[in-house]
Amino acid sequence: MRNGFIFKDRHSSDFGVTVRTKSRPILPSVKENIVDLPYRDGGYDFSKANPFGREFYNDRIFTVTFNIYADNLAEIQRKLSLLSLWLCGEGELIFDDMPFSKWRGKVSEEVIYMPEHSGRKAVMEVSFRAEPFCKCIFNTDGPTLEMPFMLGANIPVDISCLFKFNISGSGDISVYNFGDRPVRPIVKLGASARNVTLSMNGKLLAFMSNGQTTIDFEKQNVKNTSGNILVSGDFFEFPSGRNKLHIVNSYSQNMTVEISYTPYFMYGEHFDDLEWGDGNA
């Protein structure tokens, strides 16, 4: 499959090469934890035996083939030198045929080239080790004008308004995870936050708050202007789809709630079947 890609904000075409995908697995391997028990057929799979109750996955390996052309051997070497600098290090990887999905990856193995046609062509394979899931190129703030979206795409003009809420005392809000993998968002509470409890799907997180507060479910910390806040309970994930988040605030005044995250996908984004709704629980 012939297509280029962007890596570290540079496109493969910038280097005068053609690129062909050799291997791009659509599913990463599971981090298995299987125990072989005596006097039992087969083994027992503990892969979901963790606080999140789900399987976790290994990185993927994407392999692409480069065809490099030049008028002479010296020009080939110059192009190879530029490519070596570009491919060194970690960055975002976006394939041309998946323009709304970005992978975080780096070249995982040594890269060897094969000269052909008396040094006027070189062929090499490059393998990227990428994170198990791709991210959408935009987050809950919504897409920007320069992003390559087609007219009529099932994407609201102002996505961010769907992730801003107001509650008084306690209440439920409907948080839509429009990816197909769980996310751990950032939740920002307004100035009237006092002694707050968040709960979802049987898990509860409580903390002594006093004013504007930020809960980072990925880094598992809660902060306000005075620094880190002691918490009790569990940090949890927001599964794919619509989730009901129950919030209890000991201060009965109106409190703002803002949710932010970047959605993850198993293999490429899909917007056509999304049901955005209005954010009401």
Side-chain angles (χ1 to χ4, degrees):
M1 181 171 58
R2 289 184 179 273
N3 65 281
F5 63 91
I6 296 171
F7 180 59
K8 297 187 337 187
D9 298 322
R10 296 286 304 275
H11 194 273
S12 55
S13 62
D14 295 345
F15 299 88
V17 301
T18 60
V19 179
R20 179 173 56 86
T21 296
K22 180 179 180 181
S23 174
R24 201 187 309 171
I26 64 171
L27 190 69
S29 61
V30 175
K31 291 183 176 180
E32 292 185 325
N33 183 13
I34 298 177
V35 177
D36 188 13
L37 300 175
Y39 312 114
R40 186 182 187 278
D41 294 324
Y44 193 85
D45 191 349
F46 287 94
S47 301
K48 294 183 179 180
N50 56 69
F52 297 98
R54 67 173 179 89
E55 294 174 331
F56 288 82
Y57 292 81
N58 295 303
D59 290 340
R60 307 184 199 220
I61 302 296
F62 296 140
T63 303
V64 294
T65 301
F66 283 69
N67 289 284
I68 308 158
Y69 301 92
D71 294 332
N72 52 60
L73 184 58
E75 186 180 354
I76 281 284
Q77 293 300 327
R78 184 184 65 84
K79 288 188 174 182
L80 289 170
S81 177
L82 294 174
L83 286 168
S84 70
L85 292 174
W86 175 50
L87 295 173
C88 179
E90 185 180 35
E92 289 184 347
L93 181 66
I94 303 176
F95 293 99
D96 288 355
D97 56 353
M98 300 176 68
F100 311 119
S101 305
K102 58 184 179 182
W103 309 83
R104 190 75 187 174
K106 63 181 180 180
V107 177
S108 61
E109 301 175 355
E110 67 175 351
V111 179
I112 301 173
Y113 76 95
M114 179 69 67
E116 297 181 359
H117 302 303
S118 301
R120 295 190 301 274
K121 178 185 177 183
V123 178
M124 65 183 190
E125 289 188 356
V126 178
S127 294
F128 291 91
R129 176 176 293 276
E131 292 180 343
F133 310 117
C134 61
K135 288 183 177 181
C136 183
I137 60 172
F138 63 89
N139 57 21
T140 48
D141 289 332
T144 57
L145 292 176
E146 68 271 14
M147 290 180 179
F149 285 95
M150 297 180 62
L151 292 175
N154 182 29
I155 301 171
V157 175
D158 186 7
I159 294 178
S160 62
C161 67
L162 301 178
F163 297 93
K164 296 178 181 178
F165 311 89
N166 289 279
I167 65 168
S168 180
S170 64
D172 295 330
I173 61 174
S174 180
V175 182
Y176 190 31
N177 174 6
F178 59 96
D180 56 30
R181 303 302 305 162
V183 293
R184 302 176 189 179
I186 292 175
V187 178
K188 294 182 178 180
L189 306 179
S192 59
R194 303 286 189 279
N195 303 340
V196 177
T197 300
L198 307 178
S199 59
M200 177 189 293
N201 298 332
K203 292 192 175 183
L204 181 146
L205 181 70
F207 47 89
M208 302 285 287
S209 180
N210 185 13
Q212 293 183 343
T213 305
T214 299
I215 306 100
D216 191 325
F217 282 83
E218 178 64 44
K219 296 180 179 179
Q220 298 196 359
N221 63 41
V222 181
K223 293 182 178 180
N224 65 12
T225 54
S226 62
N228 288 332
I229 300 172
L230 291 177
V231 302
S232 61
D234 299 302
F235 289 91
F236 46 84
E237 295 180 322
F238 289 53
S240 176
R242 198 162 295 283
N243 299 279
K244 181 181 290 187
L245 177 64
H246 184 67
I247 303 176
V248 177
N249 181 22
S250 65
Y251 194 37
S252 61
Q253 297 297 316
N254 183 70
M255 180 180 70
T256 60
V257 182
E258 295 186 16
I259 311 289
S260 61
Y261 65 87
T262 301
Y264 286 86
F265 295 92
M266 177 65 77
Y267 184 77
E269 90 303 324
H270 41 86
F271 301 121
D272 291 344
D273 56 348
L274 297 181
E275 298 179 0
W276 294 97
D278 59 5
N280 294 319

